[in-house]
Amino acid sequence: MVAALELYLDVDATRRVRTLWRALEAEGIPTLGSLHQKHRPHISLAAARTIDPVAAAAALDGLAVGRGITVQMDFVGQFVGRVLWLGVTMTGELLDHHRAVHERLAAGGVEIWEHYQPGRWVPHCTVSLRVPNPMMAPAIRRCLEILPLSATVTGAAIADHANDIAHPL
């Protein structure tokens, strides 16, 4: 089980990432689009085994989480375990916002995994959680075809797809 504070992208960026998902699926590469129908292209600011959406919303009350921030995806990355993602270029605005969100969550008693904490977080938009090893190089090439990708954050939510939770912030 994984819960996350997800930042959602504008319509054009969402369309482009979904097009990438469909192209990879056509090549036999599973994506977030096929993992769970409710997944939307997003950037996770925080994640944990569980996140109480009411506690998180209370901790973040008055903060327009992510809204209006422009992000640039300029590279492709891979985490151990065959996770493929589009890399978000770090900016001062994004770092400051991430830190502000985490300070509020911590003050509200909302625990987040260490690798999402300020100073450790790698901002990214996940493409696939399980690229078959022989398909990694073709998947990376396909991802590079849509880059660079600029996006504006238009909304945020606490999401836990396995438990059918999508709590807008």
Side-chain angles (χ1 to χ4, degrees):
M1 210 171 9
V2 174
L5 190 168
E6 297 179 346
L7 299 180
Y8 300 119
L9 311 176
D10 63 72
V11 172
D12 183 57
T14 295
R15 179 189 53 75
R16 289 180 63 191
V17 173
R18 286 187 187 277
T19 298
L20 171 63
W21 286 353
R22 285 190 299 276
L24 290 169
E25 291 285 339
E27 294 174 17
I29 300 165
T31 69
L32 283 189
S34 63
L35 180 64
H36 197 294
Q37 294 301 318
K38 294 185 180 179
H39 273 291
R40 296 169 58 178
H42 66 275
I43 300 164
S44 295
L45 275 187
R49 190 180 64 74
T50 62
I51 298 175
D52 179 342
V54 175
L60 297 167
D61 187 43
L63 180 65
V65 179
R67 283 178 184 76
I69 292 176
T70 298
V71 296
Q72 186 74 25
M73 293 175 233
D74 290 312
F75 57 98
V76 179
Q78 180 183 1
F79 292 130
V80 173
R82 304 176 306 163
V83 177
L84 183 66
W85 41 270
L86 304 176
V88 177
T89 300
M90 192 63 73
T91 64
E93 178 185 28
L94 184 59
L95 275 174
D96 292 345
H97 188 71
H98 180 254
R99 184 171 307 285
V101 165
H102 278 266
E103 286 171 356
R104 285 178 171 234
L105 291 173
V110 178
E111 294 185 23
I112 301 301
W113 283 333
E114 182 65 27
H115 57 276
Y116 277 87
Q117 296 291 332
R120 303 244 358 240
W121 177 58
V122 176
H124 63 281
C125 177
T126 302
V127 173
S128 176
L129 295 175
R130 56 187 193 278
V131 177
N133 284 331
M135 299 300 292
M136 187 59 77
I140 290 170
R141 280 193 298 278
R142 180 68 71 188
C143 289
L144 290 170
E145 291 173 359
I146 73 159
L147 298 179
L149 175 60
S150 183
T152 301
V153 176
T154 58
I158 299 296
D160 179 343
H161 301 293
N163 291 305
D164 205 26
I165 295 171
H167 188 96
L169 298 173

